[in-house]
Amino acid sequence: MSSAGTASAKTGTGRGKPRSSKAVSRSEKAGLQFPVGRIARFLKKGRYAQRVGSGSPVYLSAVLEYLAAEVLELAGNAARDNKKSRIIPRHIQLAVRNDEELSKLLGSVTIANGGVLPNIHQNLLPNKTAKGKGEIGSASQEF
């Protein structure tokens, strides 16, 4: 019995993966660009918990990839609006602060060389005078 089991393992006709198959990463299996194995290693070395499940690094990789794609898409749109072909920190700042959800998520984050959103308070803007009322108001101010 034991000799039959070892013979099938050597020929590759038994169960399990054949020896000549190429290794497939967990990122490839999950269809992600972010490294699942590296994130699993960071979770283990960070000692966030005694044990780390097999699905948690996959889920975390997917979330991080989604957030990165969202920020890059909005920053790319901001760069295109400014007629630039490269994304600079200013574009990331504009993208994050103009998006309600990202602004809430990164509310306490300072982006280096990001600047501030262009904003002028209403009280500082010149008053708009109406056509008919402008003349009456100016006449009443004379003494």
Side-chain angles (χ1 to χ4, degrees):
M1 283 190 166
S2 63
S3 63
T6 55
S8 63
K10 289 178 183 175
T11 57
T13 58
R15 298 177 113 180
K17 61 181 179 182
R19 289 189 180 133
S20 62
S21 68
K22 187 179 176 186
V24 180
S25 68
R26 288 190 280 177
S27 298
E28 266 185 85
K29 286 181 185 175
L32 298 172
Q33 299 299 315
F34 270 49
V36 174
R38 184 178 301 174
I39 290 176
R41 187 179 76 233
F42 290 156
L43 283 173
K44 288 175 187 173
K45 284 192 175 179
R47 303 301 294 167
Y48 300 106
Q50 287 182 341
R51 296 155 46 146
V52 176
S54 60
S56 55
V58 177
Y59 194 90
L60 183 57
S61 297
V63 169
L64 291 174
E65 183 174 322
Y66 168 75
L67 285 173
E70 189 75 19
V71 169
L72 281 173
E73 181 185 354
L74 294 172
N77 294 342
R80 193 174 356 100
D81 292 343
N82 292 328
K83 299 179 180 70
K84 305 286 186 193
S85 59
R86 291 187 184 152
I87 295 174
I88 59 174
R90 174 70 177 161
H91 301 141
I92 296 172
Q93 173 82 316
L94 291 173
V96 167
R97 300 301 169 215
N98 285 324
D99 187 76
E100 185 181 340
E101 293 172 341
L102 283 175
S103 180
K104 188 175 180 183
L105 179 68
L106 302 174
S108 61
V109 173
T110 302
I111 297 175
N113 290 333
V116 295
L117 284 182
N119 184 24
I120 301 174
H121 200 275
Q122 286 293 333
N123 294 342
L124 300 174
L125 293 174
N127 292 332
K128 294 183 179 177
T129 58
K131 293 179 182 175
K133 295 180 180 178
E135 298 169 2
I136 298 169
S138 62
S140 65
Q141 293 297 320
E142 295 178 11
F143 293 104

